[in-house]
């Protein structure tokens, strides 16, 4: 099972003890993946479709706990894909359907239902616990979360902009900033920051999934930290090697043109040590000098040698070859 499937499975076994929270979760499930049917006799029926058995199980359980209604459940095999199953949960009784629609505020006091099945009153989500339940139901009905080993992405798909904005406003009450994007004909609420996804899992009370995500985040951060350090060390080594190669070139140039014996004692000594120890660090070179000197002292002498080499090049007319900067377009 995918990580998203694991989260939904965990949430499907979690049934709030408070009736008002159960109603809020039912409202979200019907709003996000439900349909209302009205017969020619003006009788109502409610139906939800889902490809996730956890969602069908949770919705069926909530109806039974909250309204003592035993809904009909049917399973259909997708003949095209030959592997996906569609679960349909239907409330056919007119009085039961009206009871559910009024309790969930999907129907107003005049008996009207909005085309996009948005909740008509904030009474359903007035309390913090009910907001949690509503977000949980919305995720079960139309949400998904990517495998955190790959990347961080949480989303809930809505049929209308109004519904998406309504859900985003509910999420924002928990100080979580979700964004909305139009994808084909649907409006998708999404969160991409790992810490915010952890927060919304906590809001939905998916604690097992939260712990798994946190463990993966810690491992990824450790790997990233190690990689940054390795890259930094590699860059420093590369910089040191390039500097040592340039220093050796300058010293050999001086040796070929005027000889190292013409240099002052301190410069001559460090020049010979650099040629004999091309891989040595500045600190190691400083320890070889008699008496030993620090890194800054070694660096000063090597810079002086480079200046001498440049002066010789200028005097011999060779500075143009080595000193010229070529821009690569």
């Amino acid at each position: 099972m995918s990580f998203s499937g694991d989260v939904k499975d965990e949430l499907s076994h979690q049934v709030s003890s408070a009736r008002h929270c159960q109603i809020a979760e039912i409202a979200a499930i019907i709003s996000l993946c439900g349909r209302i049917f009205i017969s020619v006799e003006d009788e109502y029926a409610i139906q939800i479709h889902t490809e996730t058995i956890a969602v069908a199980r949770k919705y069926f359980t909530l109806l039974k706990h909250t309204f003592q209604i035993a809904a009909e459940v049917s399973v259909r095999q997708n003949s095209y894909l030959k592997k996906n199953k569609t679960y349909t949960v239907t409330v056919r009784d007119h009085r039961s359907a009206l009871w559910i629609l009024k309790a969930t505020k999907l129907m107003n006091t005049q008996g009207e239902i909005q085309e996009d099945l948005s909740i008509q009153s904030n009474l359903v989500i007035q309390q913090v616990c009910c907001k949690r339940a509503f977000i949980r139901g919305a995720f079960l009905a139309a949400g998904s979360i990517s495998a955190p080993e790959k990347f961080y992405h949480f989303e809930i798909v809505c049929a209308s902009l109004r519904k998406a904005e309504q859900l985003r406003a509910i999420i924002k009450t928990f100080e979580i900033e979700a964004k909305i994007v139009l994808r084909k004909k649907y409006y998708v609420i999404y969160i991409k920051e790992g810490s915010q996804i952890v927060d919304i899992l906590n809001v939905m009370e998916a604690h097992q999934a939260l712990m798994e995500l946190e463990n993966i985040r810690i491992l990824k951060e450790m790997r990233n930290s190690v990689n940054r350090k390795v890259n930094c060390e590699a860059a420093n080594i590369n910089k040191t090697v390039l500097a040592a190669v340039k220093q050796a070139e300058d010293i050999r140039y001086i040796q070929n043109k005027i000889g190292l014996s013409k240099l002052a004692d301190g410069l001559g000594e460090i020049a010979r040590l650099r040629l004999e120890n091309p891989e040595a660090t500045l600190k190691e070179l400083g320890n070889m000098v008699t008496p030993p000197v620090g890194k800054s002292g070694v660096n000063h002498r090597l810079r002086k040698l480079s200046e001498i080499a440049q002066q010789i090049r200028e005097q011999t007319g060779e500075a143009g070859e080595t000193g010229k900067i070529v821009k690569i377009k």
Side-chain angles (χ1 to χ4, degrees), residues 240-302:
T240 301
V241 169
L242 290 174
V245 169
K246 178 64 169 61
Q247 291 158 8
E249 286 178 355
D250 287 340
I251 292 167
R252 289 195 188 94
Y253 184 80
I254 295 170
Q255 187 178 42
N256 293 334
K257 293 296 181 180
I258 63 172
L260 299 182
S261 60
K262 297 289 182 70
L263 297 172
D265 291 341
L267 294 179
E269 183 182 15
I270 204 70
R272 285 188 291 272
L273 287 171
R274 171 48 83 198
L275 292 178
E276 292 167 3
N277 304 276
E279 297 179 358
T281 63
L282 296 181
K283 184 177 180 180
E284 290 168 344
L285 285 175
N287 292 333
M288 297 176 191
V289 175
T290 306
V293 297
K295 288 170 60 177
S296 60
V298 173
N299 194 41
H300 174 73
R301 296 183 188 185
L302 290 170

Side-chain angles (χ1 to χ4, degrees), residues 105 135 139 175 222 267 305:
K105 304 301 179 186
I135 295 169
F139 176 76
E175 298 182 355
M222 286 177 62
L267 294 179
L305 288 168

Side-chain angles (χ1 to χ4, degrees), residues 93 99 151 250 323 326:
D93 180 68
W99 185 17
F151 55 92
D250 287 340
V326 180

Side-chain angles (χ1 to χ4, degrees), residues 90-288:
T90 308
V91 177
R92 296 191 186 279
D93 180 68
H94 171 67
R95 294 180 64 184
S96 298
L98 281 179
W99 185 17
I100 294 168
L101 291 172
K102 289 177 180 178
T104 55
K105 304 301 179 186
L106 294 170
M107 175 184 282
N108 62 23
T109 54
Q110 286 76 42
E112 298 171 337
I113 300 172
Q114 288 291 326
E115 187 178 347
D116 63 354
L117 278 179
S118 296
I119 57 173
Q120 303 291 311
S121 169
N122 63 359
L123 292 174
V124 173
I125 51 170
Q126 193 169 24
Q127 300 184 60
V128 173
C129 57
C130 294
K131 289 183 173 71
R132 290 178 182 272
F134 191 89
I135 295 169
R136 182 165 58 242
F139 176 76
L140 279 167
S144 64
I145 182 170
S146 64
E149 297 91 347
K150 298 178 181 177
F151 55 92
Y152 302 124
H153 185 83
F154 173 98
E155 70 175 37
I156 299 175
V157 180
C158 300
S160 69
L161 179 59
R162 177 187 174 187
K163 192 178 297 186
E165 289 176 339
Q166 186 180 64
L167 182 54
R168 180 173 64 176
I170 298 169
I171 292 172
K172 192 173 182 179
T173 61
F174 295 96
E175 298 182 355
I176 299 172
E177 293 293 335
K179 296 181 180 178
I180 298 174
V181 64
L182 179 62
R183 185 189 298 162
K184 294 182 180 178
K185 61 178 182 178
Y186 296 101
Y187 293 87
V188 181
I189 301 169
Y190 69 93
I191 302 168
K192 284 188 173 292
E193 189 179 336
S195 61
Q196 295 253 294
I197 294 174
V198 168
D199 290 341
I200 201 161
L201 286 175
N202 186 49
V203 166
M204 297 189 299
E205 298 176 299
H207 301 304
Q208 292 180 13
L210 185 154
M211 290 302 296
E212 185 179 346
L213 177 56
E214 281 286 50
N215 289 335
I216 292 169
R217 283 184 70 215
I218 291 168
L219 287 173
K220 287 177 76 172
E221 286 174 7
M222 286 177 62
R223 289 195 196 102
N224 291 338
S225 177
V226 169
N227 287 338
R228 282 194 296 269
K229 288 179 180 178
V230 169
N231 291 338
C232 184
E233 288 176 4
N236 288 336
I237 291 169
N238 189 49
K239 184 179 178 181
T240 301
V241 169
L242 290 174
V245 169
K246 178 64 169 61
Q247 291 158 8
E249 286 178 355
D250 287 340
I251 292 167
R252 289 195 188 94
Y253 184 80
I254 295 170
Q255 187 178 42
N256 293 334
K257 293 296 181 180
I258 63 172
L260 299 182
S261 60
K262 297 289 182 70
L263 297 172
D265 291 341
L267 294 179
E269 183 182 15
I270 204 70
R272 285 188 291 272
L273 287 171
R274 171 48 83 198
L275 292 178
E276 292 167 3
N277 304 276
E279 297 179 358
T281 63
L282 296 181
K283 184 177 180 180
E284 290 168 344
L285 285 175
N287 292 333
M288 297 176 191

